[in-house]
Structures are given as C-alpha cells and as structure tokens.
C-alpha cells in the first residue's frame, strides 16, 4: 500500500486496435485514473473499461495469477496483469498486447491456439504403457519424483516467456520456454513410455533446446519462477546422452 | 464467413474438468465431441482448485479405517441431509477410481513417504510413522468435515494439475475445442434439446451447433455476488441461465450457496482449506483460537458453512481485526514452517506474496468468508439427464446432481468433476448411440435469429439509461448483504424487491460502446439479465425456505426442519414469464436417517413420517416433477445399511 499522503494520478497509455472494425487503426489511447491502495492492473483496467471506454478489450479470468489469461506487455516487459501492483510501477504505465501471438483486439491475444498447437506438436500427453485398469491400485511413485514433475507441471501457459523470447519473436515455430518445459515435464515422468531417443527430434531439432540463443529472458519474466535455465540444461543433457548412446550402437 | 450451422454428436458447453472428462468419454466411445469454452480450456476455473480431491484410498496413517462408506457418511452429513444419498454413494465409490485415473493421465499426486513424518494436528506437533509398505502410494491431507484424512493433492495446485492432465487427453483424442465461444441459448422443441446458439467471442458473430446430446458444464454462478466471490470473472452461471430460460428444465436448490472461510482481504482471493488441514489456525483480534471453544471436536476443520458462520459471528461480537476494508480475522500458518509452505502450500505462498505483500512463514494472513461454491444448478437425475428435456445433460458445479445438498465438503467438488464426467459421459454416449440427429434446422435458425436480434436490440437502445456495470455492482451488494451467510425474512424481502428493480433497470440500460465485433460491454449485457434472474431464484428460494440447513441459515428460523423441509427446491422460469414458479421434491431415497452432523448445532425438528413411508413415494414424486427415467432403477446403487456396521 502506498504510504504517501496524496494518491497518485496514473496515466495509462494503451494500445488500441479492433480488427473487427474497418474504421479502426492501431493507435495509443491515454486514460488517467486515481491510484487506490492494493490496486492491480486487473482493478485499473476494469475501472478504465467501466468508467472511461467500455470497448476496451483485455482478458482476465481467475484474477489470482493461476489461469494465465492476462499476460501483456507492461512498460515493455511481459507480465501477468492481475498480479501486477500499480505501486510497483511509475505513474506512466504503457500497455501493449503480447507479441508472437495473434491479436484479437487491443490487449487481447490468442494464446489458446498457440498452446494447443504446441501440445499437438510435442504430443504433450502421457504415452501410456498399459491401458487404465479401474480395479487396480495406483502405480507407486517416489514422492521426490512426483514433486519434480509437479515443478514442471506448474507452467500456466500465460505466454510471457514466448513473448519475451528473442528467437520466438522471429521464428514462430520455436517451442520457447513453455514448450520445452512441457517436453521436459513428460520426459522426466516415469509413466510416459517415450525414451530419450524418441524425444531426440523434438529436443535436438531446429525448434528445440539447441536452437535457443541463450538470452534467457524467459526465466526472468516467468511469473511462476520456473527454473527454465535448469530445464534447458536438462533437455540438452538428455539429448546429448541419447545421441552418444545412438553412436555406440 | 463462418458457417452458421455446425453439427456434432455431443456438444459440451464448458471446458473445465467436468465438461472435458465427459467429452473424453464420448470420444472414447467413437463419437464426435465438440467443446465450447469461454476461455482456452486450461484457463477454466477448475484450475483454481487448490488443496485437494477427496477419495477414500486410505493410504496414510491418519486415513486408516477410511472407506467409501465413511466418505458417503461424511458427504451426507456435510450436506446436512440435503444430498441425494444414492448419488452420494455412487460418488464415494467412483471417486477412488477417478483419482487413480488422473494418476494414469499424469497428475503428480503427492505420495506417501514411508517412515517418520511430521504433522500438525489440532495445534499439536506430532510425529507419525507411515507404513513402509504404503511408500509411493497417493497420500492424503486433512480437510474440513471428514472423519479421516482423505484429500489427495498435488501441493496447492491440485485443480491445475488435474485440468492439464485431462486437457492433455482431450488433445490426444483430437477433440474439437472452440475456445472463446459462449452458448447463449439452447435449441429445443419442448421435449428434446438439439444443441445451442453460440456467440463467437473472437468476432461477436452468432452461429448454431446442432447435436444429438448437449451437456451443460459451465460451472457455478458465484459472480451474481459481484466482487464478493472467490470465483473467476467467467463464473456467471451462463449454463444454468440458458437452462432456466427454457421454462421446462428446473434448477435445483439455488439458495444453497457456499461461503468459504478463508479468502484474503482485500483481494478476495481464496487460500485453500488445506492451510487448516495441514494444521493452520484461525485467530481473532486477541490472537485467540476461537474455533476450539466453538467446535471442540473438529475445531478449525468443521464444515465450511459452520466455520464461516462462527467467523462472521466472531466479527459481529467485536473480535474482528479492523482494517480499511472492513473487519477480518487471521489465518496463522507460520508454525508450518517455510519449507512446508514453499512445497505443500506453494500456491498459498505465492498468493500471500503477490496479493497481500506478506511472508506467511512470518506474518498472519488477513481472511474472511466469501461466496465460493454453487450447490444449486441444473437439476438432473443420477445419469446426469436434465429434468424435462431429453438429450440435455449437466455435470459438475453447473449441475444439481445432487451429492452436496446444502453444503459441499472441501475437496468433494474436484472429485465430483471427474466422477460425474465419467458416469454422465457414458450415459451421454449411450444416448447418442441410440438416437438420430433431428435435423429440424427451422428451430435452430429461429433461435439464432432471436439471439442476433437480442444483440441488435441492445446496440439500438439509446438515451441515458443506467450502465450494465452499475446494475451488476448493485446486484452484488444486495446478494452479499441480504442473501449472504446469515439470512432473515425481512432482508430477503428487501433483496427480492431490489433484484426486481434491477431487472427493470436492466431493460432500460444503455450501452456506452457500440463498436462492431466482440464489444465486451455487449457481451456482458447479454449475460446480465440471466444473472439477475439467477439472483432472483436464489433470493426467492431462500425467502421461501423457512428453516436452516447447511449453508442456508435463517436467523429467524435457526433450526433444521426435517418435518417440513427435507426437500429439494425446484424453480422454473421461462424467459417470457414474469415470475419464477417454485416446487419441492423429496431429496431422494433416504438410507442414513437424518441426525446430528457431528459439528454445528444438534437441535432440529424431527421428521414426522417413517423412512419407509417417505421412500415409497420418491420415484413417483420426482417423476411428477419432471425427472426422466434413469438407465438403472432408482436406488440400485444405494448400499442400504452399510453405514450401520461403522456407527456401531
């Protein structure tokens, strides 16, 4: 909460473009509102829509930083709007939609299609060893392995890492942090029948871990603080060991 | 241009856990399924379920002696005898399979660690030896209102992991998902539902989907409480609303609304019951654990309705902590330690940091009860088949199946989504296999034209009417303050009048934005009347029910009344009718006789008729209220008297 006596007047510059309106041109609109304690961009943007411009498009669902709907560029940096407190920002706040995703309108982008395609491309599901037996007791798993898989499972597919990625911005096929993290999550899962060799094409291919140019903005902007550097290292190690194993055959 | 008419075998409205699991079942039966979702399905509100999923696997030491029968007992007691007991039993038995199936689909459940484990139980710091032969099986944490530790969990992201696992199966099976779409009307001929009219939220256009079977899986209606809800912004009850519009399908127990004890102040975001399950305390402004005196047996882990009432009463008695956002109480999880908080309760750690700006290992969390769950919904039989309209089904929170009665136990909703998705999905597949698509496109195009006209009418209105957002805010204030945790006849009458006024205001409201395309204000305006109508069914239902049961508490009628109100409220309200009509059906065949829940008050008005007499007429009465036949006969899955062996 701001301890200042006088509330700040926040000046929002927001990217506007409605592709459904033939008269619409991309431009910036400016809105001024008074800052209130605990104000997040969720609160601010709804206030702007409800009091100033009810056509403003943006996406929120959970408004608690778990659903991944509200990624946007906040003063040049990808972030989840719902958990961004205005007190952490200067008075002038510039908002753009995330790049790398198709624009729906204003701050709203189509992350759903990107992530579905990524899931299809990497076959991001458990490749089962045997069909489910409803009568059987569950397969055992060491709790430490469960915890490690959970760590990889925590990605909320907000797209901030994709938008921040130098490579994804020029190569729309690059799997980026979220895609490669998902690959790693299934690779480490003992329930998945795929071997390191099966994964080789995905991990070592042109869109995989070796394509990354190492800027690692993904790790800096990830709102879940996923250890993406470790993920890349893990994938490269796995790919290399699969390649060497192949050589020795 | 988009096609205006699509067809599929199974149309699932809603891409959360229940809807997706249902679609998987249909797809596995070789049928074509299409899922409509307001958001990409992984952003559905199922992802917000934190602490656990109840299933009686009985794997850890504190779960010893648990069974599906104990789970059944806890669920019926939790429901304050409002549940359909056969459904509660089906649920308890199938929950075990549901949790294991999710493990198969990839959920990284927390596992038993054989050997010495450290826990906090009722304020005590204890060491318990977990059996080495259980090592690696799915473990449990304690939750409210349960006799045993039963909640299976993946840190505090259980719903997230479950949703990602289920959606992965949807992708694997190649099921069509149309995200950013909203069903705005059902297509039906008075006896049979054949699909829905849909608004495309990418461009604002409408289209129709004709289907052999239609499944409503849209979640709850918490947003009728405005800002006073833990629910996502998308939980506006759209599925219940379009069912109500038919005038044929009744909604059940709309007045049964759950308030969760611990949402953080002021953000209104929930922190899991697992905080208390893992040993957290509630404290008042004198740092006293008031729940120990209020509920000596269960303490902080009585059912949610009971804990929420004690909290609000504590605040009313002057023991609340004052803040600029009104009084609150404290949740104390400091003693659980940073390591536990940053692993088993990681999502709680994040919420405290991001939205309250505190470190919960060192500081107290400001909390108070907020609207959380909708026990009411589209009334269905045990197969998930809606009353009155063949081919229409409902699952999950959107449905009133009805295993929760007047209070849902924590962790039971997550299990319900998978259990009901599996069971209802199978019934949907059977229904589809035995039917043809009725290609009466006339009725589909009529419904499409009506939906397009509705949108055009909103855009055509001009003048100085109220804004849709002002009406929404007024609805939220009325609902929280007059149809909230403690209810009185006087306040409910005021609420009914106020919502009536807001319905009139809605007819005069004017849009500020006339932009073509998505137009978010128009999108909300198109939902607003439906939300007000749902609010009215909640307020009128609460006004009529002159007793206290579960989450429905009338200070002017504080006793549960099994003589007059051991019943389920049904409400029908066609879109063109002035007012809703209420009727009451028996809750179902009763096996466990009404009694004390084990927490809360033990005073009640006893049932006057015998159980035999009551049970003899249940089928006829429910059929009279619109229940369609189930595949198996009523009562076939009730394990009559199984509970007797437990309670001695």
């Amino acid at each position: 909460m701001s301890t200042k006596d006088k509330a700040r007047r926040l000046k929002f510059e927001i990217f506007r473009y409605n592709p459904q309106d033939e008269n619409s041109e991309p431009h910036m609109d400016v809105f001024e509102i008074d800052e209130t304690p605990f104000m997040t961009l969720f609160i601010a943007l709804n206030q702007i829509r409800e009091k100033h411009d009810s056509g403003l498009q943006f996406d929120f669902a959970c408004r608690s930083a778990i659903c991944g709907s509200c990624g946007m560029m906040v003063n040049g940096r990808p972030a989840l709007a719902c958990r961004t407190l205005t007190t952490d920002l200067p008075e002038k706040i510039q908002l753009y939609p995330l790049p790398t995703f198709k624009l729906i309108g204003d701050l709203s982008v189509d992350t759903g299609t990107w992530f579905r395609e990524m899931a299809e491309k990497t076959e991001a599901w458990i490749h089962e060893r045997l069909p489910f037996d409803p009568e059987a007791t569950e397969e055992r798993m060491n709790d430490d392995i469960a915890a490690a898989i959970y760590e990889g499972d925590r990605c909320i597919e907000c797209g901030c890492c994709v938008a921040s990625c130098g490579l994804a911005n020029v190569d729309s096929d690059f799997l980026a942090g979220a895609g490669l993290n998902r690959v790693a999550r299934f690779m480490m899962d003992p329930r998945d029948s795929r071997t390191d060799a099966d994964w080789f094409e995905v991990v070592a291919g042109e869109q995989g871990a070796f394509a990354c140019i190492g800027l690692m903005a993904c790790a800096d902007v990830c709102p879940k603080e996923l250890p993406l550097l470790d993920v890349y290292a893990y994938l490269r190690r796995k790919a290399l060991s699969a390649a060497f194993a192949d050589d020795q055959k | 241009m988009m096609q205006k008419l699509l067809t599929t075998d199974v149309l699932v409205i809603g891409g959360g856990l229940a809807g997706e699991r249902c679609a998987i079942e249909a797809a596995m039966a070789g049928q074509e399924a299409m899922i409509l979702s307001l958001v990409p399905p992984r952003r559905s509100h199922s992802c917000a379920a934190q602490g656990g999923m109840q299933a009686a696997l009985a794997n850890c030491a504190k779960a010893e002696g648990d069974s599906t029968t104990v789970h059944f007992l806890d669920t019926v007691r939790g429901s304050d005898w409002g549940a359909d007991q056969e459904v509660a039993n089906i649920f308890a038995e199938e929950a075990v399979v549901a949790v294991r199936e999710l493990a198969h689909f990839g959920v990284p459940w927390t596992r038993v660690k054989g050997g010495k484990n450290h826990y906090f139980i009722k304020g005590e710091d204890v060491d318990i030896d977990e059996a080495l032969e259980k090592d690696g099986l799915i473990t449990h944490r304690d939750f409210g209102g349960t006799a045993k530790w039963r909640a299976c969990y993946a840190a505090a992201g259980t719903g997230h992991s479950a949703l990602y696992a289920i959606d992965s199966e949807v992708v694997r099976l190649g099921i069509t998902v149309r995200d950013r779409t909203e069903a705005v009307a059902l297509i039906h001929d008075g006896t049979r539902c054949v699909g829905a009219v849909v608004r495309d939220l990418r461009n604002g256009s409408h289209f129709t989907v004709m289907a052999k079977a239609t499944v409503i899986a849209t979640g709850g209606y918490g947003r009728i409480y405005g800002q006073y809800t833990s629910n996502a912004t998308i939980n506006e009850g759209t599925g219940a609303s379009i069912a109500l519009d038919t005038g044929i399908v009744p909604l059940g127990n709309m007045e049964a609304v759950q308030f969760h004890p611990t949402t953080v102040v002021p953000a209104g975001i929930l922190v899991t019951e697992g905080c208390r399950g893992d040993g957290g305390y509630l404290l008042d402004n004198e740092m006293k654990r008031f729940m120990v005196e209020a509920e000596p047996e269960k303490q902080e882990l009585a059912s949610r309705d009971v804990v929420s009432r004690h909290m609000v009463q504590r605040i009313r008695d002057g023991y609340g902590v004052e803040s600029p956002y009104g009084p609150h109480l404290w949740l104390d999880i400091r003693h659980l330690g940073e390591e536990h908080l940053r692993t088993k309760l990681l999502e709680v750690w994040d919420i405290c940091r991001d939205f309250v700006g505190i470190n919960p290992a060192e500081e107290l969390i400001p909390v108070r009860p907020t609207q959380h769950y909708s026990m009411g919904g589209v009334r269905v039989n045990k197969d998930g088949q809606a009353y009155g309209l063949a081919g229409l089904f409902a699952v999950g929170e959107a449905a009133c199946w009805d295993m929760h009665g007047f209070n849902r136990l924590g962790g039971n909703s997550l299990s319900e989504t998978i259990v009901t998705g599996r069971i209802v999905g199978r019934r949907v597949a059977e229904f589809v296999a035995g039917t043809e698509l009725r290609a009466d496109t006339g009725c589909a195009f009529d419904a499409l034209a009506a939906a397009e006209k509705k949108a055009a009418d909103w855009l055509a209105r001009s003048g100085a009417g109220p804004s849709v957002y002002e009406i929404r805010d007024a609805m939220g204030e009325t609902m929280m303050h007059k149809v909230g945790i403690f209810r009185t006849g006087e306040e409910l009458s005021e609420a009914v009048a106020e919502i009536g006024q807001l319905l009139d205001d809605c007819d005069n409201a004017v849009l500020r934005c006339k932009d073509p395309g998505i137009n978010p204000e128009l999108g909300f305006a198109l939902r607003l009347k439906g939300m007000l109508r749902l609010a009215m069914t909640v307020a009128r239902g609460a006004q009529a029910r002159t007793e206290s049961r579960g989450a429905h508490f009338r200070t002017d009628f504080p006793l549960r009344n099994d003589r007059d109100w051991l019943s389920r409220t049904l409400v029908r309200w066609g879109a063109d009718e002035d007012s809703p009509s209420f009727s009451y059906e028996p809750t179902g065949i009763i096996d466990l006789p009404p009694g004390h829940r084990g927490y809360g008050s033990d005073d009640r008005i006893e049932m006057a008729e015998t159980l035999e007499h009551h049970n003899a007429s249940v089928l006829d009465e429910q059929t009279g209220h619109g229940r369609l036949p189930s595949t198996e006969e009523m009562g076939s899955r009730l394990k009559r008297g199984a509970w007797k062996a437990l309670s001695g």
Side-chain angles (χ1 to χ4, degrees), chain B residues 175-189:
Chain B
I175 296 171
T176 303
V177 178
R178 297 191 65 110
D179 68 17
R180 295 178 185 266
T181 58
E182 175 182 353
V184 294
L186 294 171
I187 306 169
H188 67 92
D189 62 5

Side-chain angles (χ1 to χ4, degrees), chain A residues 135-204:
Chain A
E135 306 294 324
T137 302
E138 67 273 18
E139 242 182 277
R140 286 169 200 262
M141 180 183 277
N142 179 287
D143 190 54
D144 294 336
I145 293 175
I149 297 168
Y150 180 74
E151 182 67 9
D153 220 18
R154 292 200 304 115
C155 169
I156 58 172
E157 301 192 344
C158 60
C160 287
C161 61
V162 185
S164 76
C165 174
L167 185 55
N169 270 277
V170 293
D171 177 0
S172 59
D173 287 330
F174 180 54
L175 291 171
L180 287 163
N181 176 69
R182 190 132 308 264
V183 166
R185 177 251 173 271
F186 284 99
M187 278 179 88
M188 73 173 72
D189 195 323
R191 293 167 293 197
D192 196 301
S193 63
R194 281 172 286 186
T195 62
D196 291 350
D198 292 334
W199 282 110
F200 189 77
E201 282 304 313
V202 177
V203 177

Side-chain angles (χ1 to χ4, degrees), chain A residues 37 50 54 57 59 61 63 67 109-111 116 128 130 138-141 143 150 153 157 185 191, chain B residues 43 59 100 103-104 106-107 111 133 135-136 138 160-161 175 180 202 229 233 325 347 472 521:
Chain A
E50 290 167 20
S54 57
Q57 294 179 44
D59 296 317
R63 52 74 170 111
C67 81
V109 295
D110 184 1
T111 49
R116 169 95 184 204
E128 62 186 8
L130 289 168
E138 67 273 18
E139 242 182 277
R140 286 169 200 262
M141 180 183 277
D143 190 54
Y150 180 74
D153 220 18
E157 301 192 344
R185 177 251 173 271
R191 293 167 293 197
Chain B
R43 313 209 188 290
N59 284 336
R100 289 178 174 149
H104 185 77
V107 171
R111 303 291 174 140
E133 67 265 25
D135 188 84
I138 296 168
H160 165 90
S161 272
I175 296 171
R180 295 178 185 266
R202 288 162 189 266
T229 177
T233 59
Y325 308 95
E347 287 65 23
R472 174 203 62 192
E521 189 186 20

Side-chain angles (χ1 to χ4, degrees), chain B residues 54 142-146 273 276-277 298 300-304 409-410:
Chain B
Q54 300 282 2
D142 202 3
F143 250 54
T146 63
E273 188 161 311
R276 286 172 287 134
K298 298 297 289 182
E300 276 89 350
L301 289 172
S303 61
R304 289 176 178 175
L409 292 184

Side-chain angles (χ1 to χ4, degrees), chain B residues 135-156:
Chain B
D135 188 84
L137 295 176
I138 296 168
T139 195
H140 309 279
R141 65 165 33 129
D142 202 3
F143 250 54
T146 63
K148 303 287 176 184
W149 290 20
R150 188 182 297 130
C152 310
Y153 64 102

Side-chain angles (χ1 to χ4, degrees), chain B residues 188-200:
Chain B
H188 67 92
D189 62 5
T191 56
R192 173 79 196 270
C193 179
V194 290
V197 180
V198 183
R199 183 165 189 262
D200 188 329

